[in-house]
Amino acid sequence: MTLSKPLSLRPGVKADVPEAAMVLAAGMGRRMRPLTATRPKPLITVRGRALIDYALENLARAGVKRAVVNTHYLADQVEAHVKRRDHGLDISLSDERAELLETGGGCKKALPLIGADTFYVMNSDNIVVDGPMDTLRLLAERWDPGIMDALLLLVPLARATGYSGNGDFRMSGTGALLRQSGTRLAPFIYSGTQIVKRELFEDTPDGPFSFNLIWDRLIESGRLYGMAHLGGWYHVGTPAAITATETLLASE
C-alpha cells in the first residue's frame, strides 16, 4: 500500500483494524470547571452520553476487541462507569492515581495491558463523527507500517469545531507531517485519534511526557503521517462548548 493512492470510500471496505486501543481519560479537566469539581471530564455528558462513551463505542463499532482506559482524577468514578456499561469491548484500567503521566507517559505505563504491537490511541474529550466511511477503519486502511510509525487523524483547521488555537501540522501530498513554523496558522489540528507502534516508547522517559516528544522524533525521521478526517469533529473543552456541540450534533 502506498500513500499516493486515493482513499477508498466503497461500503464494506476491509481493513486490518488494530485489536487494541488506549483511551486517555486521566486529565484534570480544569477548563471544564465548575462541572469537573465533582465529576471527571470523561463523564461529562453531551446529548445524554458521557464523552468517554463516544470514544469507546466508536472503537467497538470499528471492530476493536479490547481497550485500556487510564485514570487519575476522580478515578473511582471512571472505573465504575466503564465497568457498569457494556461497550462491547474488553476494558482494562491503568491506574495513575499516584502520578499523572501525561499522554505519552500514560500510554507507556499501560503497554503491558494493551498487549499489542500496533494500537489506536484516543482522547476521551473529542467527539468524532464518521464521514462516508467508518473513520477508524479508514485510518486502519491508510496505515502503512513500512513507511510510518504513527498515523494521526487530522481535522482541517476551518472545520475544527470548538478549537481556538493556531493549528498543529502541515501535511505533504504523501501525508507526511511537519510542524508549522513561524506565526502562520497550521492547516490541520490533531484530532485526538492516532495509530501508533509499541516500539515508539523505547528510549522514552519513565515518568510523565507528552506525545509531542515522540512526534518530533518521527518528524525528524520522516515517519510521522496524517490523514484528513472526512466527517464531523467536536472538541468539548469548556462548559460553553457542551451546548454548542449538542446543537450541532442534533443537525448531523
Side-chain angles (χ1 to χ4, degrees):
M1 178 175 67
T2 65
L3 287 180
S4 60
K5 75 173 187 178
L7 290 176
S8 173
L9 301 179
R10 301 185 310 276
V13 166
K14 301 297 183 182
D16 292 328
V17 174
E19 292 189 353
M22 176 75 190
V23 178
L24 299 170
M28 299 294 293
R30 292 186 176 91
R31 293 179 62 230
M32 191 60 82
R33 290 176 179 171
L35 298 181
T36 50
T38 58
R39 180 170 38 168
K41 186 177 180 181
L43 300 190
I44 296 295
T45 58
V46 175
R47 300 197 77 200
R49 297 162 64 192
L51 283 172
I52 194 171
D53 290 341
Y54 285 91
L56 293 173
E57 290 164 9
N58 281 351
L59 289 167
R61 186 169 59 250
V64 176
K65 304 301 182 186
R66 62 186 186 277
V68 178
V69 176
N70 66 341
T71 60
H72 173 77
Y73 178 62
L74 299 176
D76 291 346
Q77 291 187 36
V78 177
E79 181 175 355
H81 179 84
V82 298
K83 287 183 176 180
R84 182 172 62 249
R85 290 181 60 89
D86 180 11
H87 293 94
L89 296 164
D90 180 7
I91 298 178
S92 303
L93 293 149
S94 180
D95 192 334
E96 294 181 26
R97 286 177 175 88
E99 183 181 23
L100 185 60
L101 295 172
E102 300 184 44
T103 53
C107 281
K108 183 173 183 177
K109 182 180 188 296
L111 289 177
L113 295 172
I114 295 170
D117 292 330
T118 302
F119 54 94
Y120 290 107
V121 180
M122 295 187 72
N123 292 352
S124 61
D125 60 354
N126 301 316
I127 297 176
V128 177
V129 178
D130 289 334
M133 281 183 58
D134 182 296
T135 301
L136 294 179
R137 286 185 174 272
L138 189 56
L139 198 66
E141 182 185 318
R142 193 70 155 160
W143 172 251
D144 184 353
I147 63 171
M148 59 183 69
D149 294 327
L151 175 62
L152 281 55
L153 181 67
L154 302 178
V155 179
L157 185 60
R159 294 196 291 106
T161 307
Y163 175 82
S164 58
N166 292 328
D168 298 315
F169 299 102
R170 51 192 175 93
M171 183 165 53
S172 74
T174 64
L177 298 185
L178 294 172
R179 298 284 192 184
Q180 182 66 51
S181 58
T183 59
R184 296 176 59 188
L185 297 178
F188 293 98
I189 71 163
Y190 173 54
S191 71
T193 296
Q194 61 180 323
I195 296 177
V196 301
K197 292 179 180 177
R198 180 189 187 97
E199 65 193 50
L200 293 179
F201 298 91
E202 298 173 2
D203 192 28
T204 55
D206 290 331
F209 70 94
S210 167
F211 254 108
N212 283 304
L213 172 67
I214 292 174
W215 293 341
D216 287 342
R217 290 177 177 179
L218 293 183
I219 287 173
E220 290 183 4
S221 63
R223 296 186 64 84
L224 182 67
Y225 280 75
M227 184 192 84
H229 180 41
L230 301 174
W233 180 88
Y234 305 89
H235 176 61
V236 189
T238 65
I242 296 174
T243 301
T245 300
E246 288 179 332
T247 300
L248 290 168
L249 283 173
S251 68
E252 282 279 354

